[in-house]
Each structure stands twice: as C-alpha cells, then as structure tokens.
C-alpha cells in the first residue's frame, strides 16, 4: 500500500513490481485488504475514513515523518538564523 495516496495493490503485484513508494501490510490487515480489493488487482483506500487500513497508513506516515522532512526543516531553520 502506498501510505501517501492510499493506493492498494495485491501482494502478487507488489512482489512482481517492487514499487518504491509502497509498503507491505502487516498480516493482521491482510483480511481487510482482501475485502477492499474484492478480487481486483488494485483499489484506492480513503485516508480519512478511520478504517483499519487508513489508520495504519496514518501511523506509518507519522513514523516516517519524524525522521525525515521535519528534521531537515529544523536543521535548515537553525542554519538560517541570524544573530
């Protein structure tokens, strides 16, 4: 699943393509993903629905954000301060 867009693909497509922006789902969410896919190779998950998949994606974005862009912005501000 792409945690930024909500794009969900089957595990077969994930293994075949190895897309950079996609993360594998934990085993406990596999049934929710299968239900959402409903036999299709891909589907879109609403990131604001409050469902299991959207909550997981939100948590992953939060974890990813703490070590990524926020640190870069903080360092940039520190370098650009005057005085």
């Amino acid at each position: 699943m792409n945690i930024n867009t909500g794009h969900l693909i089957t595990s077969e497509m994930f293994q075949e393509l190895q897309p950079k922006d996609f993360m594998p789902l934990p085993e406990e969410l596999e049934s929710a993903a299968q239900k959402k896919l409903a036999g299709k190779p891909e589907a879109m998950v609403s990131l604001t629905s409050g469902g299991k998949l959207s909550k997981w994606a939100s948590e992953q974005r939060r974890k990813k954000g703490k070590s990524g862009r926020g640190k870069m912005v903080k360092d940039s501000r520190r370098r650009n301060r005057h005085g």
Side-chain angles (χ1 to χ4, degrees), residues 19-79:
K20 190 193 297 189
D21 296 337
F22 282 70
M23 296 181 71
L25 292 172
E27 287 185 29
E28 60 268 13
L29 293 177
E30 286 294 325
S31 63
Q34 292 302 322
K35 186 175 179 182
K36 182 67 178 176
L37 288 167
K40 296 178 282 186
E42 57 187 338
M44 293 301 290
V45 174
S46 170
L47 298 178
T48 59
S49 69
K52 292 177 184 179
L53 295 170
S54 62
K55 285 180 184 177
W56 177 81
S58 174
E59 182 181 317
Q60 296 305 309
R61 283 192 309 275
R62 192 169 44 250
K63 286 180 183 176
K64 183 179 173 187
K66 289 187 179 188
S67 63
R69 184 173 161 85
K71 183 178 182 332
M72 186 171 28
V73 169
K74 185 178 176 181
D75 290 343
S76 177
R77 279 194 200 123
R78 186 172 27 84
R79 281 193 309 270

